[in-house]
Amino acid sequence: MRDTVSIRARGGRGGDGSASFRREKYVPRGGPDGGDGGRGGHVIIAAHDKVNSLRDIKPGTIFRAPSGGAGGKSGKYGRAGADLVVRVPAGTSVMDAETGELLADLAANGDKIIVSAGGSGGRGNMHFATPKNRVPLEFEPGGESEERALSLEYSIPSETAVIGFPGAGKSTLVRALTGSRTPVGEYDFTTRKPYIGVCGAGEFASFRMLDMPALADGSSEGRGVGNFFLRHLRRVELIVLLIDSRPGAPEPEAQVETLLRELAAYDPEYLEKKRLVVYNRRDAESALKGAARDIEIDAARGEGLEDLRAAISQSLGLTEDVEN
Ligand SMILES: Nc1nc2c(ncn2[C@@H]2O[C@H](COP(=O)(O)OP(=O)(O)OP(=O)(O)O)[C@@H](O)[C@H]2O)c(=O)[nH]1
Ligand SMILES: [Mg+2]
């Protein structure tokens, strides 16, 4: 999965204006009739729901839109250069690679931005006639477009995500709640990349949930699969901290502390998101004596899932108070 890519974009050059004169019988030299050039094509980046990642965009590609056509005789306009549309998945941020400025967040299908506008068409000599100069030879050349260095960053659009220690049961939980096919395994670090599922919440609503690879002490230093996947928390509103309560696992408070520290190491703003602490494996009750807990579940047996679904729906403001 490629989540970031650097590219360049350059709109088309504008077409030149034309310098021409009417030819009329018996008139040696008619008035100026040179038309305007057409504008160059824009380079546009657009979110499209058939695109799921940035992997098809080759790093370093220069996207060049075609030039506008030159103006012609008899006031004819040059044709505009076609726009070049680069399709990206919904959830792509577009940044100016030189300044780091966020140019657009293409969050939803159809969102788009012109990243390099085509040059304007030059004016034809029609426009340059004056009472003093009836035979202007001047015309304007087409405008140039400015090449831009861009970086694209994709983070999966999802309302919620589950993070936790290796083997805490994150994938089991996301499968149980959403029916996603995220892999479940006996070994630590089974999940190597984020998986998404959709969970129904009442008749009209649903939320998306990301199953994340394990986060552990040292993920920010590359332990396990590292922490690259935390990029995909960016659009998440609510983070579910799934606590492993197997005997021998660190104390719940210590797990929460480690998870928060690892989140902050990636991006301190992540600590401002809503959180829900969930204890997996009710069968290991003894390990949890006295611990403050929001919700307990047994993901494998499907216990407590309704409470969890309700708590998430409520936190996201999805709880129905719709009549009829
Ligand atoms: N008894 C019991 N076993 C569970 C529960 N949840 C998960 N397991 C088992 O624990 C193992 C790990 O579960 P996963 O869902 O893959 O855990 P994970 O947190 O996604 O693991 P990583 O992706 O490796 O971090 C699997 O063998 C699951 O069947 C539970 O609530 N109760
Ligand atoms: Mg997993």
Side-chain angles (χ1 to χ4, degrees):
M1 181 193 280
R2 189 192 293 137
D3 310 317
T4 61
V5 63
S6 294
I7 59 169
R8 302 180 75 85
R10 177 157 206 169
R13 187 177 175 277
D16 294 339
S18 146
S20 83
F21 296 91
R22 277 195 297 276
R23 287 186 195 211
E24 288 162 36
K25 267 186 183 167
Y26 316 118
V27 183
R29 218 177 197 182
D33 73 347
D36 301 345
R39 73 159 173 88
H42 303 320
V43 179
I44 295 173
I45 299 184
H48 194 278
D49 58 6
K50 293 272 153 42
V51 181
N52 297 311
S53 88
L54 297 172
R55 111 191 112 225
D56 293 332
I57 300 179
K58 218 169 127 232
T61 306
I62 305 177
F63 291 93
R64 283 196 184 90
S67 305
K73 290 182 165 305
S74 317
K76 231 174 102 191
Y77 289 98
R79 72 168 47 154
D83 295 336
L84 175 60
V85 180
V86 182
R87 288 173 166 188
V88 296
T92 300
S93 313
V94 181
M95 259 96 45
D96 184 307
E98 266 138 39
T99 64
E101 183 197 354
L102 176 69
L103 303 176
D105 185 23
L106 308 176
N109 183 34
D111 288 353
K112 58 183 159 200
I113 178 180
I114 297 177
V115 285
S116 180
S120 47
R123 287 178 301 164
N125 67 342
M126 272 165 62
H127 301 281
F128 295 96
T130 61
K132 288 217 172 95
N133 181 8
R134 291 170 192 281
V135 285
L137 292 169
E138 317 159 52
F139 65 93
E140 251 176 12
E144 294 290 341
S145 166
E146 210 183 313
E147 185 167 313
R148 254 183 137 173
L150 303 164
S151 68
L152 307 181
E153 258 188 52
Y154 171 58
S155 49
I156 304 170
S158 175
E159 288 74 28
T160 68
V162 183
I163 64 166
F165 277 26
K170 301 177 292 299
S171 301
T172 306
L173 169 61
V174 173
R175 280 175 81 125
L177 270 183
T178 71
S180 84
R181 311 291 308 149
T182 178
V184 166
E186 301 288 335
Y187 305 100
D188 282 359
F189 298 104
T190 296
T191 306
R192 317 294 297 187
K193 60 176 192 176
Y195 285 79
I196 193 161
V198 181
C199 179
E203 210 176 332
F204 304 107
S206 63
F207 57 84
R208 289 167 289 191
M209 190 171 236
L210 281 181
D211 175 24
M212 290 293 206
L215 202 58
D217 199 4
S219 291
S220 48
E221 271 100 54
R223 199 186 149 213
V225 299
N227 69 352
F228 74 94
F229 55 89
L230 291 181
R231 170 191 315 288
H232 296 288
L233 280 183
R234 211 165 76 71
R235 292 167 196 282
V236 161
E237 194 179 325
L238 168 71
I239 301 174
V240 174
L241 301 144
L242 189 64
I243 303 304
D244 182 358
S245 57
R246 281 175 295 189
E251 288 296 311
E253 285 79 3
Q255 292 186 42
V256 171
E257 203 186 295
T258 301
L259 293 173
L260 296 183
R261 198 177 57 239
E262 290 293 332
L263 285 182
Y266 187 85
D267 184 348
E269 282 184 23
Y270 283 176
L271 297 187
E272 326 229 309
K273 294 180 187 283
K274 294 179 197 161
R275 298 195 288 262
L276 199 56
V277 177
V278 176
Y279 292 82
N280 194 20
R281 291 183 184 157
R282 247 193 311 222
D283 45 38
E285 191 76 36
S286 57
L288 293 174
K289 282 266 154 52
R293 62 195 79 164
D294 290 1
I295 293 190
E296 272 174 46
I297 60 168
D298 185 314
R301 293 192 207 152
E303 289 166 23
L305 296 186
E306 275 318 307
D307 288 350
L308 176 54
R309 191 205 306 259
I312 293 173
S313 304
Q314 184 168 19
S315 169
L316 294 175
L318 299 174
T319 315
E320 286 167 67
D321 43 8
V322 186
E323 275 158 58
N324 84 20

